[in-house]
Amino acid sequence: MSAHRRKTSHPARRPRRPRPRRFRIARTLLVAVCALAVMAAAGAWYVYRDLAGSIGSSKALEGAEKSKYGDTNILLMGLDSRRDQNGEKLPEEVLDKLHAGSSDIGGYNANTLILLHVPGDGSRAKAFSVPRDDFVDIPGHGKDKIKKAYGLAKAEEEERLSAQGVKDRRRLEREGREAGRKVQIETVRNFLGVPVDHFAELNLAGFYHLAQALDGVPVCLKKPVRDKYSGADFPAGRQSLNGQQSLAFVRQRHGLDMGDLDRTRRQQAFLAGAAQKLNSAGTFTDPAKLMKLVDTAKQDVVTDAGWDLMSFVKQAKNLSGGKVAFTTLPVERFGRNHGEDINVVDDMKIKRLIAEQIGPGASASAAAPSPSGAPGAPPGPAAAAPSAGAGAGGSAAAPSIDGGGIPCVD
């Protein structure tokens, strides 16, 4: 063997090339996206826990019949109350902004009643507005305006508890409202012939706070209006309403051709505008905006216990793209009862309309009751309350909003 060992030749190591800058940027972005995803999930869970733990909760739907085939019916109830959830008067400065008069006015009438039907198959949702003066059967109270069910049951329960010696004002308010919710929901359920799966109740200030949380709600008017009673003073055309203006918009009935029925369409238009604003403003993906909505809900909203609000928030994001068709339920004629104006309605026609619109998820009870009569109702053939785009005997359909439009109303 040679004294000089042959050197083993190794391939020369190539110097390590730095990774391209675009690769480093992509990796950094990937890490950032992952971090944001974790933060978003944690934030969403925090928002959900905060909302679920703080929003008013009710047991009014315990044991109630549920919809079938994955459908969901949600009753939206707007109270004409100038008081908060504990029965305390709203501050004077708030009442001034609401242009709503004294806190002793209004009582606990459910002046807004809208049934939102969300199909289980993901098809278009439908919302049915129930005119507040419809003359219907109220369980335990005979026939009266549908809006009165809440207040009548609340007062009766408070009288019953007071007779037993209960003097705690907050307990009377809390249990009285629970009784009011149960009877109001039962009244609507019997009238429409369908189950109510969930409900949301808000007071008069709720419209104000919702519009404030959204930084304005877009609406459209066919003509200028001015009404000293509600404070409505708006030009014709599209416009964005702040909280005070929004409340005036949904409350106006004086100066409108169809009075309360036109006000019902105002409520539909407000909800359509709010839904569009939710979608276009990215509220569901903006933590700051979402928290404003959560704070609003904690102030003004009561829902049924057990409602998975996080799932509905996701669903509401889909509903906000113009996928809701609004309908005002028909009125046969106008009448009088004990000196009050009422809407005479045909129970069977209402139930058939609802069953046709929402399909097989409707309850079998839709074919049971007979038409409503009314004392003092003027004679003559039944006819639906007049409205744009609705023939006699048909439903009064407000224009539905699509991705780029706002319904114009009187």
Side-chain angles (χ1 to χ4, degrees):
M1 180 178 288
S2 168
H4 299 285
R5 301 180 64 179
R6 183 177 295 174
K7 293 182 179 180
T8 305
S9 62
H10 296 284
R13 281 189 179 178
R14 295 179 180 177
R16 187 174 182 178
R17 292 183 182 177
R19 293 185 177 180
R21 183 170 180 269
R22 63 177 179 274
F23 179 83
R24 296 197 308 272
I25 293 175
R27 185 180 63 180
T28 302
L29 286 175
L30 180 61
V31 172
V33 167
C34 291
L36 286 174
V38 172
M39 290 171 63
W45 175 242
Y46 170 79
V47 168
Y48 173 67
R49 287 187 61 188
D50 184 45
L51 181 61
S54 305
I55 197 170
S57 181
S58 165
K59 296 181 179 180
L61 281 175
E62 280 190 349
E65 178 189 2
K66 298 295 183 181
S67 296
K68 302 175 183 177
Y69 311 111
D71 293 354
T72 304
N73 292 331
I74 301 166
L75 180 62
L76 308 177
M77 299 192 300
L79 296 184
D80 193 32
S81 172
R82 278 74 164 164
R83 295 175 180 269
D84 64 18
Q85 293 180 21
N86 295 315
E88 302 294 339
K89 296 180 179 180
L90 295 175
E92 289 300 324
E93 60 270 20
V94 174
L95 289 173
D96 289 342
K97 290 180 181 179
L98 301 184
H99 201 86
S102 166
S103 59
D104 295 323
I105 299 174
Y108 287 88
N109 288 334
N111 278 347
T112 301
L113 291 167
I114 299 177
L115 184 80
L116 176 64
H117 173 73
V118 184
D121 61 6
S123 58
R124 194 179 196 191
K126 296 174 182 177
F128 302 92
S129 290
V130 183
R132 65 176 188 164
D133 289 340
D134 283 3
F135 193 68
V136 303
D137 286 308
I138 299 176
H141 298 275
K143 296 184 75 69
D144 213 325
K145 295 181 181 182
I146 196 167
K147 69 177 183 181
K148 289 186 176 182
Y150 193 113
L152 288 172
K154 177 180 183 294
E156 182 180 62
E157 179 66 9
E158 289 178 358
E159 288 175 7
R160 186 185 70 82
L161 291 173
S162 295
Q164 294 177 356
V166 176
K167 297 181 180 180
D168 184 338
R169 210 159 38 86
R170 291 209 169 188
R171 181 185 169 188
L172 291 171
E173 180 73 15
R174 182 178 64 254
E175 296 191 25
R177 285 199 176 198
E178 276 291 87
R181 292 172 190 128
K182 287 181 181 178
V183 173
Q184 186 69 68
I185 293 169
E186 185 179 358
T187 302
V188 173
R189 183 170 57 228
N190 293 344
F191 179 48
L192 303 185
V194 294
V196 174
D197 303 289
H198 300 294
F199 81 90
E201 168 196 309
L202 73 161
N203 60 16
L204 198 61
F207 286 100
Y208 172 86
H209 290 134
L210 175 60
Q212 293 294 91
L214 292 175
D215 295 321
V217 171
V219 300
C220 177
L221 284 168
K222 295 178 181 177
K223 56 188 178 183
V225 296
R226 178 173 292 181
D227 171 36
K228 66 179 182 179
Y229 297 100
S230 64
D233 186 1
F234 309 120
R238 297 188 184 194
Q239 52 211 287
S240 180
L241 305 184
N242 62 26
Q244 186 172 348
Q245 293 169 327
S246 293
L247 188 62
F249 177 79
V250 299
R251 290 184 64 237
Q252 185 186 1
R253 62 188 175 94
H254 296 281
L256 302 179
D257 292 340
M258 293 303 299
D260 267 347
L261 295 181
D262 278 339
R263 175 158 73 171
T264 297
R265 296 182 190 99
R266 292 283 191 90
Q267 295 165 359
Q268 296 170 354
F270 175 84
L271 291 175
Q276 193 209 47
K277 186 64 178 286
L278 281 169
N279 190 51
S280 62
T283 304
F284 294 108
T285 56
D286 186 321
K289 292 179 180 177
L290 191 57
M291 286 306 298
K292 285 177 72 175
L293 276 180
V294 169
D295 287 340
T296 296
K298 289 190 289 186
Q299 287 183 77
D300 307 308
V301 179
V302 174
T303 68
D304 55 289
W307 189 2
D308 187 348
L309 293 173
M310 196 65 170
S311 294
F312 182 69
V313 164
K314 294 176 182 177
Q315 198 172 35
K317 183 178 179 181
N318 296 328
L319 295 177
S320 66
K323 298 180 180 178
V324 181
F326 289 97
T327 298
T328 301
L329 297 179
V331 171
E332 296 301 297
R333 58 187 180 271
F334 304 111
R336 301 277 291 176
N337 180 57
H338 298 304
E340 294 185 328
D341 293 327
I342 60 170
N343 299 332
V344 182
V345 293
D346 184 333
D347 291 41
M348 285 295 290
K349 180 186 291 185
I350 297 291
K351 289 176 172 61
R352 284 196 301 269
L353 183 151
I354 296 290
E356 290 168 1
Q357 291 281 333
I358 71 176
S363 169
S365 62
S370 59
S372 292
S387 72
S395 63
S400 59
I401 189 171
D402 56 27
I406 297 290
C408 286
V409 294
D410 290 326

